[in-house]
Each structure stands twice: as C-alpha cells, then as structure tokens.
Amino acid sequence: MYLEIGTMGTDVAQLQKDLNFCAYDAGLADGDFGSQTQEAVLALQTYNGLEPDGIYGDQSDAALMGEIRLIQEALTKNGYHLALDGAVGSETLAAITDFQKRSGLAVDGIVGNETLKALGIEIPPAANQTETVVPSPTVKPLPAGTGNGQLVCINPGHGGSDPGACGNLQEKDMNLVVSLRLGQLLQERGFRVVFTRTDDRWIALSDRPAISNANNADIFVSIHHNGSASPESSGTLVICYPGVTNGLRLAQLVLNGLCNRMGLANRGIIQRDDSDVTYSNMPAIITEGLFATSPSDCHFFSNGGSELEAHGILEGILSYFNA
C-alpha cells in the first residue's frame, strides 16, 4: 500500500472513507488524494507515533486498520455481527449508525470521542505525546532589527465555508486573529505586509501563493493550527518545502520563536510538498502553532496564547532578516 498526494482511484476513496470513519477528516470520498486527505493521514500518523510524512504506506495502513478493528470488536460486543476486517464496509457503517441512534448520539457514521466512550473504548494519548504543561503568558524582549521595507505576505489559512480543524475554537478564526496581529507587529517594525484575506471568506488554495507571487513578496507565511482525533494532542510545528535552504532556515527560526514564546511541545519541522510552499516563488512556511482540537491549547490561545504566537512568528522573521 502506497498512496500519496496526487494519487487517484478506488483505493484512495476507500482510504478516505476509513479515515472519515475514525474521525480523521479527509473530506469527500472522491478518490482524489488532495491536501485535506494528506492532513488526515498526517493526523493519523502523529496520533500513532509514526513518521509524519503524509504518505499512506504499510505502517499507516496497519495503524488505521487497527483502529477500525478495535471499533468493530466493540460493536460485536454490543450485539452486532460483523467481520473484524479493519475496513469500513456497508455492514460496519450500518452498525455504527444504528448504535449512534440507539445511544442518543449524532447519527453521522463518524466514530468521534463521544461514540468511542459509548462503545466503552478508552481513548489513549497520542503515541508520541509527552506531558504538556500549559505555560503562563510572559513577555520576553524581541531580537533587535527592523523590516527595512521587506514585504511579508501573510495567509490566514481556511476561511468562509472552510473552517479547518475545529474543537473549542474554529481554526479559521484562530488563523485570522494571529495573522492580523502579526501583520500589525511587522508594520510597527518597518515591514510592508500584504494579506491573502482580512475577513472570514473562502479563497481557493491556488490563489493564495499567487497573491504572494503577484506582490513579489520576500517571504510567504501561511498561518494554520493543527487538528487531531485525540484531544490530548498538543504542540507546535512548522512546514516547509523539501530541500530549499532559505525556506528551511525560515522554518527553523520561526519554530524556535514559537517554542520560545509559547513553551508548548516542539513537534519539529515537516518538509513536504504543499500548495502554499510549493507554488510560492519565495521562501515559504506553514505554521501550526497549536491544536484547535485540544481543549488545553484552545484555553491557552484564548488567554494570551494568540499574542505569544504572533510574537513567536515575529521573532523568527526578525531573526531571518537580521541575521
């Protein structure tokens, strides 16, 4: 089994069904392995302690089948007759929707936390999750330096009909809050700033780096927040395009700044092909400051964490241009 972004066919459609069943949001089961399916695979890999490369191989397949089989076993204990095959077919879907109806749950065919609890399945922490102490917001001096007229394009991810990852907060709103504050901080220090959006609207993925390219930006910073099937998943990571020296340097400096400011678990840098970083003509990164699906991360974000996040990205950008 080897599926990756760009792959199409019935195997991808089945993967999307299986991911959606286990509450990894892969979007429509249309057989097209796009960015949303890749994000779902990354969430699966992160949760199971696998290398988060976004490629669905044998290890990811075994992990997903194991989760489905566990659900099937719980359904059989509740009186349903199913094949324990680790795949989501019509019998498994019928059983889970009937169970949800009988249990007074939302009948959506998705085995989220409430359905797992009703089935008697204990939700373990993510395999690579370390205990995270939510920090108190503190003020640290920023590195010296100014923008000297450098142009930064800021992309608040998702928007409009696309909420992104959702928990206590919606990712699209979190992205916009951090982006607008970051833009203000950059302008105060002599940078020029262009946004891909400044309100709650949907913009096609391909149009976002195009805006940066059309404005001849010096760097492109796409602001996102992570999601996971486990509410315990927490931490910070940054994404950049593989093998691009300046992009990797920018990613490392911004990751350092985010971790310095917020103090959450450092999940490292992921180098992967993604629309934002692939189609940008300049060094480009995607930040995943924390998890929109984590109650503790959302509480932190709403109580000073968003300001620390914006300052962390600013710290990395200042270090990049003033090294």
Side-chain angles (χ1 to χ4, degrees), residues 72-236:
Q72 290 172 329
E73 290 173 353
L75 285 168
T76 61
K77 292 178 182 178
N78 281 274
Y80 296 92
H81 300 288
L82 302 170
L84 305 182
D85 56 4
V88 180
S90 57
E91 288 185 348
T92 299
L93 276 175
I96 200 65
T97 53
D98 183 72
F99 176 80
Q100 289 174 327
K101 183 177 180 180
R102 291 172 181 269
S103 302
L105 303 170
V107 183
D108 55 10
I110 298 172
V111 187
N113 291 340
E114 293 303 315
T115 302
L116 286 171
K117 290 177 183 177
L119 285 167
I121 298 174
E122 184 177 351
I123 307 168
N128 62 349
Q129 180 68 31
T130 57
E131 183 177 357
T132 300
V133 177
V134 177
S136 299
T138 57
V139 178
K140 300 178 182 179
L142 285 163
T146 60
N148 296 319
Q150 300 280 358
L151 178 59
V152 178
C153 183
I154 302 175
N155 173 47
H158 303 283
S161 60
D162 175 15
C166 294
N168 292 353
L169 300 172
Q170 288 193 324
E171 183 191 354
K172 67 175 183 177
D173 299 327
M174 300 167 74
N175 297 343
L176 190 58
V177 166
V178 174
S179 294
L180 293 176
R181 179 57 175 147
L182 173 62
Q184 181 183 31
L185 292 169
L186 287 167
Q187 288 169 333
E188 289 172 356
R189 286 158 180 80
F191 288 88
R192 292 178 296 134
V193 175
V194 62
F195 296 95
T196 60
R197 68 178 179 98
T198 56
D199 55 17
D200 185 18
R201 70 178 65 194
W202 180 84
I203 299 174
L205 287 175
S206 58
D207 290 342
R208 297 169 186 256
I211 292 171
S212 187
N213 295 340
N215 284 275
N216 197 28
D218 292 291
I219 60 171
F220 182 60
V221 180
S222 187
I223 308 296
H224 283 258
H225 292 84
N226 224 330
S228 171
S230 169
E232 303 300 322
S233 293
S234 174
T236 303

Side-chain angles (χ1 to χ4, degrees), residues 8-82:
M8 301 180 71
T10 56
D11 286 343
V12 175
Q14 183 62 54
L15 168 62
Q16 291 165 328
K17 291 177 184 177
D18 293 349
L19 287 166
N20 287 336
F21 179 78
C22 291
Y24 300 106
D25 184 9
L28 293 175
D30 57 4
D32 184 356
F33 197 125
S35 59
Q36 189 167 356
T37 302
Q38 186 183 58
E39 289 292 337
V41 170
L42 284 165
L44 168 74
Q45 292 170 331
T46 300
Y47 182 68
N48 286 278
L50 304 176
E51 180 183 356
D53 59 8
I55 297 171
Y56 190 77
D58 290 339
Q59 288 185 319
S60 298
D61 189 47
L64 185 56
M65 287 182 66
E67 291 189 25
I68 296 168
R69 190 177 294 111
L70 185 65
I71 295 165
Q72 290 172 329
E73 290 173 353
L75 285 168
T76 61
K77 292 178 182 178
N78 281 274
Y80 296 92
H81 300 288
L82 302 170

